[in-house]
Amino acid sequence: MKRIRKSAKPVAAEEIAKMADQGKAISHFFKGEGRMMQPIQRVNVDVTASMLEELDKAAQNLNISRQAVIKTLVRQALDQHYVAQSARRPRLVS
């Protein structure tokens, strides 16, 4: 009869954090999948009432939060900025 290996019980994130704080090795808990999330920093932005109404309408139409609309629009604007910036740079001929 084959022996069936019992799978280890999942370890809570708090336990892993405690082990890390104590200097114990914790790398075996991670498979190297996924990606590291950057820390989030809260900011305040002043917008006009009409702009806020537009953001709320867009959020309602897309069925997402106002915050998600703002993040998406900021990401799109930054991407457009980088594309425009790279198009303005003179290309070196090799």
Side-chain angles (χ1 to χ4, degrees):
M1 188 171 178
K2 285 186 177 182
R3 285 189 168 192
I4 299 173
R5 206 171 174 196
K6 290 184 180 179
S7 59
K9 290 183 180 179
V11 179
E14 293 82 16
E15 289 298 317
I16 296 172
K18 280 184 193 176
M19 292 171 68
D21 289 341
Q22 295 169 356
K24 295 181 181 175
I26 58 167
S27 60
H28 61 279
F29 290 108
F30 303 98
K31 297 178 182 176
E33 298 172 354
R35 60 186 177 124
M36 289 289 293
M37 297 298 291
Q38 296 291 322
I40 295 175
Q41 188 169 346
R42 186 173 298 273
V43 297
N44 293 323
V45 179
D46 297 328
V47 296
T48 62
S50 61
M51 188 183 290
L52 194 58
E53 287 175 17
E54 287 181 72
L55 288 168
D56 287 339
K57 284 180 187 175
Q60 188 174 14
N61 289 338
L62 296 168
N63 197 29
I64 59 176
S65 68
R66 180 194 298 160
Q67 182 179 18
V69 171
I70 294 169
K71 287 179 179 181
T72 302
L73 293 173
V74 169
R75 178 74 268 157
Q76 288 175 352
L78 287 170
D79 290 345
Q80 287 177 356
H81 170 74
Y82 296 134
V83 168
Q85 200 174 37
S86 66
R88 279 183 268 176
R89 288 192 189 131
R91 298 183 189 264
L92 297 175
V93 179
S94 358

